Amino acid sequence: TSAQSHADLFLGVSGASLGDVVVLGTPAGSVEPGTSYTAWVGASDIVFIRFNNYSTAARNPSSGTFRVAVIKF
């Protein structure tokens, strides 16, 4: 991911609704300095995960198993 930018991906999560809380489990090997991950329900049954690169260099985090939990409200 380029410096000062972000990259998104999405995955299907059956039953996820707008306004639900998303908890993202990030593997330690995928954490890079100057970056963060966020997650939210962007549409019914779809969770978006965003990798934010706040650093001044491109970052390509290691792959790993991310876990997503959706809490209904």
Side-chain angles (χ1 to χ4, degrees), residues 8-67:
D8 293 337
L9 64 87
F10 62 92
L11 61 125
V13 178
S14 183
S17 301
L18 293 173
D20 288 347
V21 174
V22 178
V23 179
L24 180 64
T26 307
S30 297
V31 177
E32 296 272 344
T35 68
S36 69
Y37 294 89
T38 52
W40 67 95
V41 177
S44 294
D45 301 323
I46 300 176
V47 171
F48 287 79
I49 300 172
R50 177 170 286 170
F51 174 70
N52 301 288
N53 181 3
Y54 303 111
S55 74
T56 57
R59 299 283 188 207
N60 185 18
S62 299
S63 63
T65 301
F66 288 74
R67 300 193 186 276

